Amino acid sequence: MSQVEFVNITIDGTTVQVPAGEMVIESARRVGIEIPHFCYHPRLTMEAGANCRMCLVEVSMPRKNPDGTLALARMPKPQTSCSLPAAEGMVIETETPMIVEARKGMLEFLLINHPLDCPICDRGGECPLQNNTMHYGAATTRFVEEKRHPPKAYPLSKYVIFDRERCIHCARCTRFASDISGDAQLDFLKRGADMEVSSFRDTEFTSLYSGNVIEVCPVGALLSRPYRFTARPWDLSTQKSICTECSNGCNIKLDHRAGKLLRVNARLNEEVNEEWTCDQGKFGMDYASHEKRLRRPLIRDGAVFREVSWDEALTHVATALSEAGPAAAFLGGARSSNEDLFVLRRLFQEVLGSQNMDHRLGPAYPSAADVRAALGSQSPTPIAAYERMTTIIVFGCDLAVELPILYLRVRKAAVRRGAKVIECQPSSYRERPHANKVTDFAHSSIWYEPGQETAIAEALAHVMTGGRDPGASDGASDAAASLPNAVAEANVEFGSAIPRLDDGPIAIIIGRDVWSRSLSVPATLKAAADKMGTPCVINTYACSVNEQGARELGILPDGSVQASAPGLNADQILHGLKDGTVKALWVSGVDIASQFHDPELVTQSLEQAPFVVVTALDLNRTATMADVVLPLASVAEYDGTYTSMERRVQRFHQAFDAGVDVREEWRIAANVGMRLGVDMPYASWRDIFGAIATSERAFAECTPDNLGDGGRLLADRNNEDSR
Amino acid sequence: MAEKLVLFEHRHLPGVETAAVYETVGGYEGLRRALQMTPAGVIEEIKVSGLQGRGGAGFPTWIKWNGMLGNPPGDRYVVCNADEGEPGTFKDRELMLRFPHMIVEGMAIAGHATGSATGYIYIRGEFTEPADAIRRAVDEAYERGYLGEGIRTDGSRFDIHVHLGAGSYECGEETALMSSLMGERGQPRAKPPHAPLPVVAGLWRRPTLINNVETYACAPHILRRGGAWYASMGTERAKGTKIFSVSGHVARPGNYEIELGTPLLELLDMAGGVTGGALKAIIPGGSSVPILPAAKCTDVRLDYDGCRAAGTMLGSGGCMVFNETTDIVKLMWVTARFYAHESCGKCTPCREGTRWMAKIMDRIVQGKGRPEDPDLLVSVCNNIDGRSYCPLGDAAAWPIRASVLQYRDEYEHWVRHKTSPVGEHSVPKVA
């Protein structure tokens, strides 16, 4: 590891030790001085920055006199502190009369063409331009000419609207597009005072990360279409939450007002999402305040539903479940909280004596035992660890769609940290319409046709092991020439030969489409990884928000050590409903009628099922076929924890009351249990989480109070005994 | 004093733009000599000559060349800045048209001295004829072995690629030129103390030497006749000769090569003196430098220190002469519009300030000036000067501010009387 070198610099009279090369604007923060700025953003590259000229400071450097003594020499021009690396002996002044004048001048320049329509601007109240003008600007303008008038409210995409009049040309959005998301769909057109941010001529801004430019914009130029004109920032309340759109566990803030969720912004977590969101997460929040939200429990009455009291509904459910007993089954749960799942599991295992539970909705998922046999008990690669990887292999995974924020981290590892990314993808991915593809930064892209996965995995395994075998020639770089027979037989067409793998840690991401159908790819790669002298993790990441929690808590037919025999999996449960061996079904939080791989089977099963209870936010297709429908609280309406795909347990907090009679699923399950004679006296998520920590080895070090704002990774599985 | 012809010695020799004729007057002898020397030896010769960059800033050339040698091995580049866009300057154009081989030879010498195998010559987009001349010269130089591997015996090579700009003044700024050459927007890049010099990390982050056309053109003469010979010309602190482009109200506008340190008024005499009226003002170094009223022209010597002492700069050598029919306000109106048009837009003060100044000047010459406008112009200039990302902002502010300070009465005349102080036949004539 390289040693960090420190230098002494003096800022407004305070001498401080900072890492050499740190930008002076950051060093100033260390001594409590905030230098005003617009274009500077620590995550964006400096090359196109340093353009707003707001962060100018005066700089003096020590110079040697002819007699060898040191004297301070002030640079003739002020310097932008956002791009100035700290150097030994540097003396910075941030409040000289010249700097005060320069800031005033810069704000005057920025405002001469700015419409100053703050009263109707979404950004008003949380606007850096507004704030800096109040602090550092002049009270009046000397500009009597006509302002620029480009069109207002230009729609860039279905999410982002662009008010060109307000733009101050700081290049934050264009740098986000080129540096972070990498799609470079925003750039400048024209020059001088006519310069404007634009997508390419008449094209839509289709980046999967477009919403971030709204947050990085230091003025009200880039605006959220769903949020536009709905609230003033000072009327909003904010609550810490976790995004539920995928398993990444992105930290977000829910901005709400009067019981309505109005806006989702990123919440800083360096380990998870840094400060980014994907568009699914940022704009997919209409669930909470949707007009179709269920308000009361429903019981089927012939062809229609009847609104009933919770008491009536729960009595009905308890009766039906107790009649079914061990022939009851549970499907779903990948979107429920850890606490929901824990209580539901207790209800099925302890109260009903059933292990018929499955959170996976695909065809013929490998059993938990098979997964353990093939992959051992490795912990998945944590998100932030990708920056330390030498090689990242993406296998059959459209990463920006499946795990959008992991895509950004893998891209960062490749572009900024020099990781070598190799992708092996179905050739159909080349035709996908979105703009964020691993191919853009991959060292090698290998395209295959369906059915060739195993052959490709064998070729990869060959390179992984062959290149490291001391007896083998240095032939790994020429892998295509010496591929195993299976590859030659499969007639695999390589986009390029698989490159030689460098020494250093490797992370392999296998897409759900691949690992959910067959374990041959992960098993082949795992076997090769075990022969390597370098750490190599095979990741079969969970996809739904708490799918990893469901794995940890064993919402699986063979997920429990207590059960003597495995229960039925999803497919078997549905068939069991048809042939009468399964007598009651609880569907939790998912619309299996729409999402199961075989919707026809679902429809037939639900029609013939003796009893089906569905918990849901709205009357989805599955719910319409149920006997009882129970309205659930959304993530914004209760407290709890999720386990993200990297095994990070994180808190989400209640933002507001639903205003309708909805309940948490754990409360529903506990109530049913109580009616069946098993007391589950939980009053809050804290009680249940404490119980989880007591009974689940992985959660042993967790308490309700040690999760913090950034969550906590579960104990490394490599340090556990096998379960 | 008369002209001192070094680069222009064979200016009138027919066919000197061809390799055959160029060789008869010593052409490529400098390169042959350089190839027999070590890179350090070549740079020592440039150091002895005292050559300073001829593009405007006057930075000692040898320091740049020498800076290339300290880099670790790998690709490095030699770039010739032929984006001659400074209003009033047309020396590089003539050099390229008449002496394209001198530039090719100079770049090849620099290639040897800096261990570079690749050269780019970035030519202003409007310069189609000079570009053709350069292309012909490059082809001939390959045929005769001066480029490629050719006459080199050590296995090294030097190639030149000709690249045309797309009509942006800003791309004459060396870091913006690099951006443009790499296919990016023509916007400047960070410089010390914010980023390494181009000789450390330039084109594609590789060491890159950038010099002006005239600087490269000096190298063959220095290598052929010795650095000491070159240093015998000029002054103590400004060696050699420099080409000035004289234009405006003079009898014989054109390029004049003189020793540095020659009095400004002698240059004026060489160009046949002022025509059409008495001398009013001179802008000695291209439109970016402050204007000199006639009274201040008498003692000015044309070298870096002499111009600075007079409150202006040597700049690119674009010497514009104005007689008494010139309306300074209208002259600066044209200048302000130029810079507003050419600002790249990257930084706030230049993007907003140049357009603002142009709008104020528009208003004044439309007879809508206000008494506070002259002071406002100075204030806007002060808010740009020294605070912009690259020198374009400074270059836009200096001439306007100098004109208000020197010719305030003319601005006040425009504001008060809404007409030109020099009458309706004033120049420049602008639609």
Side-chain angles (χ1 to χ4, degrees), chain A residues 12 42 47 52 59 75 89-90 124 181 193 363 426 450 502 507-508 623 646 696:
Chain A
D12 289 348
E47 201 57 75
C52 77
V59 183
M75 290 185 187
M90 193 178 253
S181 66
D502 305 314
I508 301 180
E646 58 170 347
E696 305 295 313

mmCIF file with all atom_site columns, all heavy atoms in Angstrom, chain A residues 12 42 47 52 59 75 89-90 124 181 193 363 426 450 502 507-508 623 646 696:
data_model
loop_
_atom_site.group_PDB
_atom_site.id
_atom_site.type_symbol
_atom_site.label_atom_id
_atom_site.label_alt_id
_atom_site.label_comp_id
_atom_site.label_asym_id
_atom_site.label_entity_id
_atom_site.label_seq_id
_atom_site.pdbx_PDB_ins_code
_atom_site.Cartn_x
_atom_site.Cartn_y
_atom_site.Cartn_z
_atom_site.occupancy
_atom_site.B_iso_or_equiv
_atom_site.pdbx_formal_charge
_atom_site.auth_seq_id
_atom_site.auth_comp_id
_atom_site.auth_asym_id
_atom_site.auth_atom_id
_atom_site.pdbx_PDB_model_num
ATOM 1   N N   . ASP A 1 12  ? -6.520  30.925  5.759   1.00 0.00 ? 12  ASP A N   1
ATOM 2   C CA  . ASP A 1 12  ? -6.997  32.048  6.581   1.00 0.00 ? 12  ASP A CA  1
ATOM 3   C C   . ASP A 1 12  ? -6.367  32.011  7.972   1.00 0.00 ? 12  ASP A C   1
ATOM 4   O O   . ASP A 1 12  ? -7.043  32.205  8.987   1.00 0.00 ? 12  ASP A O   1
ATOM 5   C CB  . ASP A 1 12  ? -8.527  32.018  6.690   1.00 0.00 ? 12  ASP A CB  1
ATOM 6   C CG  . ASP A 1 12  ? -9.176  32.399  5.381   1.00 0.00 ? 12  ASP A CG  1
ATOM 7   O OD1 . ASP A 1 12  ? -8.455  32.905  4.485   1.00 0.00 ? 12  ASP A OD1 1
ATOM 8   O OD2 . ASP A 1 12  ? -10.392 32.203  5.226   1.00 0.00 ? 12  ASP A OD2 1
ATOM 9   N N   . PRO A 1 42  ? -17.209 16.693  -5.718  1.00 0.00 ? 42  PRO A N   1
ATOM 10  C CA  . PRO A 1 42  ? -16.056 15.821  -5.481  1.00 0.00 ? 42  PRO A CA  1
ATOM 11  C C   . PRO A 1 42  ? -16.074 14.528  -6.279  1.00 0.00 ? 42  PRO A C   1
ATOM 12  O O   . PRO A 1 42  ? -15.039 13.920  -6.463  1.00 0.00 ? 42  PRO A O   1
ATOM 13  C CB  . PRO A 1 42  ? -16.131 15.538  -3.971  1.00 0.00 ? 42  PRO A CB  1
ATOM 14  C CG  . PRO A 1 42  ? -17.500 15.929  -3.554  1.00 0.00 ? 42  PRO A CG  1
ATOM 15  C CD  . PRO A 1 42  ? -17.955 16.984  -4.493  1.00 0.00 ? 42  PRO A CD  1
ATOM 16  N N   . GLU A 1 47  ? -11.504 17.970  -15.127 1.00 0.00 ? 47  GLU A N   1
ATOM 17  C CA  . GLU A 1 47  ? -11.084 18.448  -16.446 1.00 0.00 ? 47  GLU A CA  1
ATOM 18  C C   . GLU A 1 47  ? -12.064 19.456  -17.048 1.00 0.00 ? 47  GLU A C   1
ATOM 19  O O   . GLU A 1 47  ? -11.657 20.488  -17.561 1.00 0.00 ? 47  GLU A O   1
ATOM 20  C CB  . GLU A 1 47  ? -10.917 17.252  -17.392 1.00 0.00 ? 47  GLU A CB  1
ATOM 21  C CG  . GLU A 1 47  ? -10.036 17.523  -18.581 1.00 0.00 ? 47  GLU A CG  1
ATOM 22  C CD  . GLU A 1 47  ? -8.635  17.984  -18.184 1.00 0.00 ? 47  GLU A CD  1
ATOM 23  O OE1 . GLU A 1 47  ? -7.810  17.160  -17.739 1.00 0.00 ? 47  GLU A OE1 1
ATOM 24  O OE2 . GLU A 1 47  ? -8.376  19.189  -18.328 1.00 0.00 ? 47  GLU A OE2 1
ATOM 25  N N   . CYS A 1 52  ? -16.976 27.644  -13.017 1.00 0.00 ? 52  CYS A N   1
ATOM 26  C CA  . CYS A 1 52  ? -17.880 28.681  -12.496 1.00 0.00 ? 52  CYS A CA  1
ATOM 27  C C   . CYS A 1 52  ? -17.090 29.840  -11.895 1.00 0.00 ? 52  CYS A C   1
ATOM 28  O O   . CYS A 1 52  ? -17.602 30.940  -11.781 1.00 0.00 ? 52  CYS A O   1
ATOM 29  C CB  . CYS A 1 52  ? -18.869 28.097  -11.490 1.00 0.00 ? 52  CYS A CB  1
ATOM 30  S SG  . CYS A 1 52  ? -18.160 27.780  -9.863  1.00 0.00 ? 52  CYS A SG  1
ATOM 31  N N   . VAL A 1 59  ? -3.559  32.758  -3.408  1.00 0.00 ? 59  VAL A N   1
ATOM 32  C CA  . VAL A 1 59  ? -2.609  31.699  -3.090  1.00 0.00 ? 59  VAL A CA  1
ATOM 33  C C   . VAL A 1 59  ? -1.201  32.279  -3.038  1.00 0.00 ? 59  VAL A C   1
ATOM 34  O O   . VAL A 1 59  ? -0.794  33.026  -3.934  1.00 0.00 ? 59  VAL A O   1
ATOM 35  C CB  . VAL A 1 59  ? -2.653  30.585  -4.154  1.00 0.00 ? 59  VAL A CB  1
ATOM 36  C CG1 . VAL A 1 59  ? -1.713  29.452  -3.770  1.00 0.00 ? 59  VAL A CG1 1
ATOM 37  C CG2 . VAL A 1 59  ? -4.062  30.074  -4.340  1.00 0.00 ? 59  VAL A CG2 1
ATOM 38  N N   . MET A 1 75  ? 0.673   34.451  -5.859  1.00 0.00 ? 75  MET A N   1
ATOM 39  C CA  . MET A 1 75  ? 0.424   34.262  -7.296  1.00 0.00 ? 75  MET A CA  1
ATOM 40  C C   . MET A 1 75  ? -0.289  35.488  -7.831  1.00 0.00 ? 75  MET A C   1
ATOM 41  O O   . MET A 1 75  ? -1.144  36.064  -7.162  1.00 0.00 ? 75  MET A O   1
ATOM 42  C CB  . MET A 1 75  ? -0.425  33.007  -7.520  1.00 0.00 ? 75  MET A CB  1
ATOM 43  C CG  . MET A 1 75  ? 0.321   31.726  -7.229  1.00 0.00 ? 75  MET A CG  1
ATOM 44  S SD  . MET A 1 75  ? -0.696  30.302  -7.658  1.00 0.00 ? 75  MET A SD  1
ATOM 45  C CE  . MET A 1 75  ? 0.326   28.981  -7.015  1.00 0.00 ? 75  MET A CE  1
ATOM 46  N N   . GLY A 1 89  ? 3.535   24.175  2.386   1.00 0.00 ? 89  GLY A N   1
ATOM 47  C CA  . GLY A 1 89  ? 3.813   25.585  2.628   1.00 0.00 ? 89  GLY A CA  1
ATOM 48  C C   . GLY A 1 89  ? 2.842   26.555  1.970   1.00 0.00 ? 89  GLY A C   1
ATOM 49  O O   . GLY A 1 89  ? 2.972   27.770  2.126   1.00 0.00 ? 89  GLY A O   1
ATOM 50  N N   . MET A 1 90  ? 1.861   26.019  1.261   1.00 0.00 ? 90  MET A N   1
ATOM 51  C CA  . MET A 1 90  ? 0.894   26.870  0.564   1.00 0.00 ? 90  MET A CA  1
ATOM 52  C C   . MET A 1 90  ? 0.112   27.719  1.573   1.00 0.00 ? 90  MET A C   1
ATOM 53  O O   . MET A 1 90  ? -0.255  27.232  2.646   1.00 0.00 ? 90  MET A O   1
ATOM 54  C CB  . MET A 1 90  ? -0.051  25.942  -0.186  1.00 0.00 ? 90  MET A CB  1
ATOM 55  C CG  . MET A 1 90  ? -0.939  26.576  -1.199  1.00 0.00 ? 90  MET A CG  1
ATOM 56  S SD  . MET A 1 90  ? -1.909  25.250  -1.994  1.00 0.00 ? 90  MET A SD  1
ATOM 57  C CE  . MET A 1 90  ? -1.117  25.170  -3.579  1.00 0.00 ? 90  MET A CE  1
ATOM 58  N N   . GLY A 1 124 ? -36.164 26.818  -5.547  1.00 0.00 ? 124 GLY A N   1
ATOM 59  C CA  . GLY A 1 124 ? -36.203 27.918  -4.600  1.00 0.00 ? 124 GLY A CA  1
ATOM 60  C C   . GLY A 1 124 ? -36.287 27.393  -3.181  1.00 0.00 ? 124 GLY A C   1
ATOM 61  O O   . GLY A 1 124 ? -37.157 26.589  -2.868  1.00 0.00 ? 124 GLY A O   1
ATOM 62  N N   . SER A 1 181 ? -22.395 7.986   -15.140 1.00 0.00 ? 181 SER A N   1
ATOM 63  C CA  . SER A 1 181 ? -23.246 7.004   -15.820 1.00 0.00 ? 181 SER A CA  1
ATOM 64  C C   . SER A 1 181 ? -22.593 6.548   -17.117 1.00 0.00 ? 181 SER A C   1
ATOM 65  O O   . SER A 1 181 ? -22.868 5.454   -17.600 1.00 0.00 ? 181 SER A O   1
ATOM 66  C CB  . SER A 1 181 ? -24.634 7.573   -16.090 1.00 0.00 ? 181 SER A CB  1
ATOM 67  O OG  . SER A 1 181 ? -24.563 8.624   -17.020 1.00 0.00 ? 181 SER A OG  1
ATOM 68  N N   . ALA A 1 193 ? -21.836 32.725  -24.990 1.00 0.00 ? 193 ALA A N   1
ATOM 69  C CA  . ALA A 1 193 ? -23.078 32.926  -24.248 1.00 0.00 ? 193 ALA A CA  1
ATOM 70  C C   . ALA A 1 193 ? -24.246 32.167  -24.877 1.00 0.00 ? 193 ALA A C   1
ATOM 71  O O   . ALA A 1 193 ? -25.316 32.080  -24.288 1.00 0.00 ? 193 ALA A O   1
ATOM 72  C CB  . ALA A 1 193 ? -23.393 34.420  -24.177 1.00 0.00 ? 193 ALA A CB  1
ATOM 73  N N   . PRO A 1 363 ? -38.704 -20.737 -12.692 1.00 0.00 ? 363 PRO A N   1
ATOM 74  C CA  . PRO A 1 363 ? -38.857 -22.167 -12.962 1.00 0.00 ? 363 PRO A CA  1
ATOM 75  C C   . PRO A 1 363 ? -37.727 -22.949 -12.322 1.00 0.00 ? 363 PRO A C   1
ATOM 76  O O   . PRO A 1 363 ? -36.567 -22.565 -12.427 1.00 0.00 ? 363 PRO A O   1
ATOM 77  C CB  . PRO A 1 363 ? -38.759 -22.238 -14.488 1.00 0.00 ? 363 PRO A CB  1
ATOM 78  C CG  . PRO A 1 363 ? -37.893 -21.068 -14.842 1.00 0.00 ? 363 PRO A CG  1
ATOM 79  C CD  . PRO A 1 363 ? -38.118 -20.006 -13.803 1.00 0.00 ? 363 PRO A CD  1
ATOM 80  N N   . PRO A 1 426 ? -25.479 -13.067 -23.499 1.00 0.00 ? 426 PRO A N   1
ATOM 81  C CA  . PRO A 1 426 ? -26.271 -13.530 -24.636 1.00 0.00 ? 426 PRO A CA  1
ATOM 82  C C   . PRO A 1 426 ? -26.237 -12.462 -25.729 1.00 0.00 ? 426 PRO A C   1
ATOM 83  O O   . PRO A 1 426 ? -26.291 -11.262 -25.427 1.00 0.00 ? 426 PRO A O   1
ATOM 84  C CB  . PRO A 1 426 ? -27.691 -13.666 -24.076 1.00 0.00 ? 426 PRO A CB  1
ATOM 85  C CG  . PRO A 1 426 ? -27.574 -13.502 -22.608 1.00 0.00 ? 426 PRO A CG  1
ATOM 86  C CD  . PRO A 1 426 ? -26.283 -12.852 -22.298 1.00 0.00 ? 426 PRO A CD  1
ATOM 87  N N   . PRO A 1 450 ? -28.145 -18.712 -26.598 1.00 0.00 ? 450 PRO A N   1
ATOM 88  C CA  . PRO A 1 450 ? -28.700 -19.518 -25.509 1.00 0.00 ? 450 PRO A CA  1
ATOM 89  C C   . PRO A 1 450 ? -28.269 -20.978 -25.665 1.00 0.00 ? 450 PRO A C   1
ATOM 90  O O   . PRO A 1 450 ? -28.267 -21.511 -26.776 1.00 0.00 ? 450 PRO A O   1
ATOM 91  C CB  . PRO A 1 450 ? -30.215 -19.369 -25.690 1.00 0.00 ? 450 PRO A CB  1
ATOM 92  C CG  . PRO A 1 450 ? -30.371 -18.083 -26.424 1.00 0.00 ? 450 PRO A CG  1
ATOM 93  C CD  . PRO A 1 450 ? -29.160 -17.907 -27.270 1.00 0.00 ? 450 PRO A CD  1
ATOM 94  N N   . ASP A 1 502 ? -5.044  -10.965 -14.747 1.00 0.00 ? 502 ASP A N   1
ATOM 95  C CA  . ASP A 1 502 ? -3.925  -10.482 -13.952 1.00 0.00 ? 502 ASP A CA  1
ATOM 96  C C   . ASP A 1 502 ? -4.061  -10.988 -12.518 1.00 0.00 ? 502 ASP A C   1
ATOM 97  O O   . ASP A 1 502 ? -5.130  -11.406 -12.083 1.00 0.00 ? 502 ASP A O   1
ATOM 98  C CB  . ASP A 1 502 ? -3.900  -8.951  -13.951 1.00 0.00 ? 502 ASP A CB  1
ATOM 99  C CG  . ASP A 1 502 ? -3.872  -8.411  -15.364 1.00 0.00 ? 502 ASP A CG  1
ATOM 100 O OD1 . ASP A 1 502 ? -3.076  -8.930  -16.165 1.00 0.00 ? 502 ASP A OD1 1
ATOM 101 O OD2 . ASP A 1 502 ? -4.657  -7.486  -15.665 1.00 0.00 ? 502 ASP A OD2 1
ATOM 102 N N   . ALA A 1 507 ? -14.014 -10.749 -8.915  1.00 0.00 ? 507 ALA A N   1
ATOM 103 C CA  . ALA A 1 507 ? -15.431 -10.900 -8.586  1.00 0.00 ? 507 ALA A CA  1
ATOM 104 C C   . ALA A 1 507 ? -16.160 -11.311 -9.852  1.00 0.00 ? 507 ALA A C   1
ATOM 105 O O   . ALA A 1 507 ? -15.931 -10.733 -10.913 1.00 0.00 ? 507 ALA A O   1
ATOM 106 C CB  . ALA A 1 507 ? -16.010 -9.599  -8.040  1.00 0.00 ? 507 ALA A CB  1
ATOM 107 N N   . ILE A 1 508 ? -16.993 -12.326 -9.720  1.00 0.00 ? 508 ILE A N   1
ATOM 108 C CA  . ILE A 1 508 ? -17.778 -12.772 -10.868 1.00 0.00 ? 508 ILE A CA  1
ATOM 109 C C   . ILE A 1 508 ? -19.253 -12.547 -10.546 1.00 0.00 ? 508 ILE A C   1
ATOM 110 O O   . ILE A 1 508 ? -19.739 -12.963 -9.493  1.00 0.00 ? 508 ILE A O   1
ATOM 111 C CB  . ILE A 1 508 ? -17.508 -14.264 -11.175 1.00 0.00 ? 508 ILE A CB  1
ATOM 112 C CG1 . ILE A 1 508 ? -16.013 -14.466 -11.460 1.00 0.00 ? 508 ILE A CG1 1
ATOM 113 C CG2 . ILE A 1 508 ? -18.373 -14.733 -12.334 1.00 0.00 ? 508 ILE A CG2 1
ATOM 114 C CD1 . ILE A 1 508 ? -15.624 -15.892 -11.780 1.00 0.00 ? 508 ILE A CD1 1
ATOM 115 N N   . ALA A 1 623 ? -54.544 -10.879 -6.414  1.00 0.00 ? 623 ALA A N   1
ATOM 116 C CA  . ALA A 1 623 ? -55.527 -10.539 -5.383  1.00 0.00 ? 623 ALA A CA  1
ATOM 117 C C   . ALA A 1 623 ? -56.951 -10.728 -5.895  1.00 0.00 ? 623 ALA A C   1
ATOM 118 O O   . ALA A 1 623 ? -57.844 -11.153 -5.149  1.00 0.00 ? 623 ALA A O   1
ATOM 119 C CB  . ALA A 1 623 ? -55.301 -9.108  -4.914  1.00 0.00 ? 623 ALA A CB  1
ATOM 120 N N   . GLU A 1 646 ? -25.764 -7.579  -0.816  1.00 0.00 ? 646 GLU A N   1
ATOM 121 C CA  . GLU A 1 646 ? -24.406 -7.770  -0.286  1.00 0.00 ? 646 GLU A CA  1
ATOM 122 C C   . GLU A 1 646 ? -24.457 -8.198  1.194   1.00 0.00 ? 646 GLU A C   1
ATOM 123 O O   . GLU A 1 646 ? -23.456 -8.135  1.878   1.00 0.00 ? 646 GLU A O   1
ATOM 124 C CB  . GLU A 1 646 ? -23.576 -6.502  -0.457  1.00 0.00 ? 646 GLU A CB  1
ATOM 125 C CG  . GLU A 1 646 ? -24.185 -5.286  0.227   1.00 0.00 ? 646 GLU A CG  1
ATOM 126 C CD  . GLU A 1 646 ? -23.250 -4.078  0.267   1.00 0.00 ? 646 GLU A CD  1
ATOM 127 O OE1 . GLU A 1 646 ? -22.051 -4.217  0.003   1.00 0.00 ? 646 GLU A OE1 1
ATOM 128 O OE2 . GLU A 1 646 ? -23.747 -2.984  0.586   1.00 0.00 ? 646 GLU A OE2 1
ATOM 129 N N   . GLU A 1 696 ? -30.963 -16.298 14.916  1.00 0.00 ? 696 GLU A N   1
ATOM 130 C CA  . GLU A 1 696 ? -30.275 -16.497 13.639  1.00 0.00 ? 696 GLU A CA  1
ATOM 131 C C   . GLU A 1 696 ? -28.800 -16.191 13.819  1.00 0.00 ? 696 GLU A C   1
ATOM 132 O O   . GLU A 1 696 ? -28.408 -15.074 14.167  1.00 0.00 ? 696 GLU A O   1
ATOM 133 C CB  . GLU A 1 696 ? -30.864 -15.572 12.561  1.00 0.00 ? 696 GLU A CB  1
ATOM 134 C CG  . GLU A 1 696 ? -32.361 -15.706 12.377  1.00 0.00 ? 696 GLU A CG  1
ATOM 135 C CD  . GLU A 1 696 ? -32.747 -17.077 11.853  1.00 0.00 ? 696 GLU A CD  1
ATOM 136 O OE1 . GLU A 1 696 ? -32.107 -17.543 10.885  1.00 0.00 ? 696 GLU A OE1 1
ATOM 137 O OE2 . GLU A 1 696 ? -33.675 -17.694 12.430  1.00 0.00 ? 696 GLU A OE2 1
#
